[in-house]
Amino acid sequence: MRFITLTCVAVAGIALLAHTTSSENSAVGVLAIVLSGLWVWMELRGTAMPSGFLAAFALLACLSAVQENGLALPALSITAALYAWDTSLARARLAGFPPTDKRPIVVRYAATAGILALASLGLIAVTTTIRVTLGFGISLGLAAALLVVGVLVARLARLPHTRPTDSPPDALQHNEEAGREVSPGSDTA
Amino acid sequence: MSTRRRILYAVMLGLAIALAGLLMRQGDILALGLPFLVYAIALTLSDTFLRVPCFRVSRMFSATRVHEDEQTTVTCSVAHDDARDVLFSLEDEIPVRMSVVDGESRIARRLASGQTAETTYTVEASRGRHTQRQLTGAVWARTGLAIRDVRVGLDTQLSSLPQFETLRDIQIRPRRTHAFAGSIRTDRPGSGLEILGCREYVLGDDIRKINWRASARREELIVNLFEQEKMTDVNIIVDARASLHLQIGSARTFDIILRGAASVASHFLRQGNRVGLLLYGDSLNWTYPASGRLQMESILHSLARARPSSREAFGKLRYIPARLFATGSELIIFSALGSEEDIEVPEQLVARGYSVLLVHPDSTKLERAESASERYAHLAERFLTLRSQVVLSKLARAGVVVVNWNLAEPLGLAFHHAQTITRGVRR
């Protein structure tokens, strides 16, 4: 899983570097490579802060996209950074488990992440063919709406996480000798 | 990071990018928010449709009662009766003073319906009672994307009791004994194994008791008198005040003293006496005197739970409630006697009619070994040794039987030295 993370980080950096080499301002590309190198180094040391790196790559990708030199490479970069972040977190959850036991989880995860990445890139490719002209007022209104959505999402996230039980109580079995049942609704968020 | 936080982070980042795109009226930037949207939707759907199945979990020990530094094997098994395969991980909680020496306390597996996953690991526990309360883990969605944390409450206990050595004969002379036969010599004639003296033969005496050598010397029949042996109450008092105990390297003097107390308790209980235990420090932890194996278990469990304490209410040894102890019984005190007031306590107990044996733990040699390179270590050692000799000889003159125990050596050796000196004095 570390291999997936490092590959995605490398792709994210190289894509941005490639996108900006042809333009006058190659600082973004250089910065992307430096960030990639730092992320790889911290991953190898086991002290990475993937959330911070993801936000940094998102910013660099946006700056790179502003240059109007095509969207493919910035999209590839931001998608690769997103899944590098996710695989880094998933790998942290699996740290310390024997390799033979975690292989089925890793295989399924890699397949799912790959499909989602391709779907994202395909969606971006489709959107590049669509041209919608928005007035300033409409854009501002949409931005305000997005802000409201963001605030609502943040507030919802603070609510206690409760879920209804997935199976009726009589389906739970109790081992009287030494074990207990798992409550399907238990969650340690 | 939990699934919810991952969704939230992706959504916030995607919204921020979309907001920037809208404000700058750049469609390309707006489009860069799509991967986050796709990811958040996929993760939310994966989390929504994730079902935690019904697990049956058990934890079995090869032994729930072990001695210090002994190992025990723990077997955790997990099963579920759900129709589908489940990807899960489960980790057993290991308390702070337990450590895994072999094996893994974690399982990460894809478990089919009706299958059982098991892990076996070996643990070592320090002295005390250890409770494992739960197993924590996670269940993965079939896509591998969403993860739901689970926690299984499962209380089991492991008792790690102090080790003790087998002691040889410890001579005590309590002032009062019980009426039942035992192994404590009473200085009175009766049925026993030790010869108390001789007297002239009287009609009715057992002829097997005739001392033929003495009879030949005296030209009259002389019989042996045997010493009566009875059982008695032995009360062990352990001074658990934190100010008197040290950590020297990897050894703790408190643990060594508890092992000594366990050894003494085992010795007297094997002889059929009644043994009680008072732990003086955190509180008055009193185990009422009784005999037998159950009493040994009670004493070991009390010693296992003992912790050094700095409570002011029990800061002085003179607060020991002597009324707990039967009049004339034997008191065996394990204490380093930290102050002048403490030194008077054994004398006072002797004056009140108890027979007192003081086991004085001497950590000087242990400390010297740790601080060998220090400049004045040899002088400090000499000073401490002389001081303890003065104190202990004062107590010996007051009628207290003193055993100076070098903690670097076994307790049996200290008793042997003490009794050798006593026999030499008697001769």
Side-chain angles (χ1 to χ4, degrees):
Chain A
M1 213 149 186
R2 177 178 275 180
F3 175 74
I4 299 172
T5 308
L6 298 178
T7 307
C8 290
V9 171
V11 165
I14 292 168
L16 275 183
L17 180 68
H19 186 253
T20 55
T21 46
S22 55
S23 66
E24 290 176 0
N25 184 11
S26 58
V28 169
V30 170
L31 201 55
I33 283 295
V34 168
L35 271 177
S36 291
L38 194 60
W39 194 346
V40 166
W41 178 67
M42 291 179 81
E43 277 289 332
L44 291 171
R45 283 191 60 182
T47 57
M49 293 174 295
S51 301
F53 282 112
L54 175 61
F57 267 97
L59 180 65
L60 289 176
C62 292
L63 287 172
S64 177
V66 166
Q67 291 171 7
E68 295 185 8
N69 204 15
L71 193 55
L73 291 172
L76 179 65
S77 173
I78 204 169
T79 307
L82 173 63
Y83 289 101
W85 167 75
D86 199 51
T87 47
S88 180
L89 295 176
R91 189 175 142 265
R93 292 298 300 260
L94 292 170
F97 288 91
T100 49
D101 288 344
K102 66 185 176 185
R103 189 165 294 131
I105 302 171
V106 170
V107 166
R108 285 201 172 187
Y109 174 84
T112 309
I115 292 167
L116 288 175
L118 288 172
S120 305
L121 292 171
L123 206 56
I124 291 173
V126 165
T127 57
T128 53
T129 61
I130 301 169
R131 283 275 173 255
V132 176
T133 307
L134 291 175
F136 180 75
I138 295 171
S139 301
L140 205 58
L142 281 172
L146 274 178
L147 261 175
V148 169
V149 167
V151 168
L152 280 173
V153 167
R155 284 196 168 203
L156 277 171
R158 282 198 209 118
L159 289 175
H161 186 58
T162 55
R163 288 182 174 273
T165 54
D166 291 333
S167 51
D170 58 6
L172 301 176
Q173 295 194 30
H174 181 80
N175 184 339
E176 290 291 341
E177 291 170 359
R180 299 242 185 107
E181 68 281 8
V182 173
S183 168
S186 67
D187 193 324
T188 58
Chain B
M1 195 182 268
S2 67
T3 300
R4 218 154 62 127
R5 283 179 180 264
R6 286 159 66 197
I7 295 170
L8 182 65
Y9 190 71
V11 165
M12 298 309 283
L13 215 48
L15 281 177
I17 293 171
L19 198 66
L22 278 173
L23 288 174
M24 294 167 68
R25 297 175 69 193
Q26 291 268 352
D28 288 348
I29 296 176
L30 195 61
L32 287 178
L34 283 171
F36 295 93
L37 185 67
V38 168
Y39 172 81
I41 291 171
L43 195 55
T44 305
L45 288 172
S46 183
D47 189 50
T48 304
F49 289 109
L50 171 58
R51 258 188 57 186
V52 177
C54 306
F55 287 113
R56 278 181 295 130
V57 183
S58 71
R59 185 195 292 129
M60 300 291 184
F61 289 85
S62 60
T64 55
R65 176 197 172 283
V66 295
H67 289 282
E68 276 177 299
D69 303 328
E70 277 181 6
Q71 296 174 355
T72 185
T73 304
V74 185
T75 303
C76 276
S77 63
V78 179
H80 77 92
D81 294 331
D82 210 346
R84 301 171 301 175
D85 290 3
V86 172
L87 286 167
F88 80 99
S89 69
L90 214 60
E91 182 171 355
D92 210 352
E93 178 203 40
I94 305 295
V96 172
R97 286 176 297 119
M98 270 172 72
S99 59
V100 177
V101 295
D102 191 30
E104 286 284 336
S105 61
R106 292 177 271 222
I107 312 172
R109 205 119 342 148
R110 184 174 60 188
L111 200 61
S113 174
Q115 272 188 347
T116 303
E118 220 174 68
T119 185
T120 303
Y121 58 95
T122 307
V123 293
E124 209 172 82
S126 61
R127 179 182 56 85
R129 181 173 288 179
H130 309 278
T131 305
Q132 288 179 272
R133 296 192 191 282
Q134 62 186 7
L135 295 94
T136 53
V139 173
W140 269 258
R142 294 178 68 76
T143 54
L145 214 54
I147 304 168
R148 183 85 57 82
D149 290 328
V150 294
R151 188 164 48 198
V152 183
L154 184 58
D155 281 2
T156 52
Q157 288 190 342
L158 174 68
S159 294
S160 179
L161 306 176
Q163 294 271 17
F164 55 90
E165 58 181 288
T166 305
L167 299 174
R168 299 182 69 184
D169 190 32
I170 300 175
Q171 297 287 340
I172 57 170
R173 297 281 179 166
R175 303 207 183 166
R176 194 178 280 193
T177 56
H178 289 290
F180 307 108
S183 58
I184 306 299
R185 294 159 64 179
T186 57
D187 286 338
R188 288 189 290 274
S191 59
L193 299 174
E194 297 291 325
I195 295 176
L196 181 63
C198 304
R199 63 167 171 78
E200 288 173 4
Y201 175 83
V202 166
L203 193 66
D205 283 341
D206 188 353
I207 59 169
R208 289 175 296 184
K209 291 185 183 176
I210 293 174
N211 187 332
W212 297 106
R213 284 195 176 190
S215 302
R217 273 202 302 275
R218 294 277 297 273
E219 295 178 355
E220 58 178 340
L221 285 176
I222 304 292
V223 293
N224 289 325
L225 281 176
F226 291 92
E227 194 168 8
Q228 199 177 57
E229 292 175 350
K230 297 287 186 191
M231 62 170 273
T232 188
D233 277 359
V234 177
N235 297 292
I236 300 171
I237 303 166
V238 176
D239 192 344
R241 293 174 294 166
S243 56
L244 300 179
H245 299 289
L246 305 168
Q247 170 99 32
I248 303 170
S250 60
R252 295 200 307 166
T253 57
F254 187 61
D255 290 339
I256 301 172
I257 288 164
L258 290 181
R259 286 181 213 132
S263 305
V264 168
S266 168
H267 173 79
F268 285 108
L269 281 170
R270 268 187 288 114
Q271 291 182 340
N273 300 294
R274 292 187 349 147
V275 177
L277 173 71
L278 176 67
L279 291 163
Y280 186 82
D282 185 44
S283 61
L284 291 176
N285 189 332
W286 172 232
T287 305
Y288 194 82
S291 57
R293 286 190 176 185
L294 273 178
Q295 179 68 356
M296 188 64 201
E297 283 299 307
S298 297
I299 287 173
L300 286 176
H301 280 95
S302 292
L303 292 172
R305 288 192 298 268
R307 296 281 173 267
S309 173
S310 309
R311 288 185 70 171
E312 279 299 314
F314 303 104
K316 295 184 198 302
L317 206 56
R318 63 189 170 91
Y319 297 142
I320 286 179
R323 65 184 176 280
L324 289 176
F325 314 125
T327 312
S329 61
E330 179 77 22
L331 304 181
I332 300 180
I333 306 175
F334 284 80
S335 177
L337 303 178
S339 66
E340 291 298 320
E341 282 183 346
D342 289 348
I343 293 167
E344 294 170 0
V345 169
E347 296 175 9
Q348 290 167 357
L349 290 170
V350 168
R352 292 175 74 158
Y354 295 102
S355 173
V356 178
L357 189 153
L358 173 71
V359 179
H360 180 260
D362 183 5
S363 60
T364 315
K365 292 279 187 295
L366 282 178
E367 290 176 78
R368 180 81 167 93
E370 281 295 309
S371 58
S373 58
E374 289 189 22
R375 200 172 164 191
Y376 298 110
H378 66 288
L379 285 176
E381 182 191 1
R382 191 141 182 260
F383 174 76
L384 288 170
T385 306
L386 285 171
R387 181 187 174 273
S388 66
Q389 280 176 0
V390 166
V391 166
L392 298 179
S393 60
K394 181 186 169 204
L395 287 171
R397 283 194 298 275
V400 177
V401 176
V402 173
V403 175
N404 193 30
W405 177 23
N406 177 0
L407 292 180
E409 292 174 354
L411 179 60
L413 201 58
F415 274 110
H416 176 72
H417 284 149
Q419 280 164 192
T420 305
I421 291 167
T422 310
R423 267 186 250 124
V425 166
R426 279 188 190 160
R427 286 200 193 104

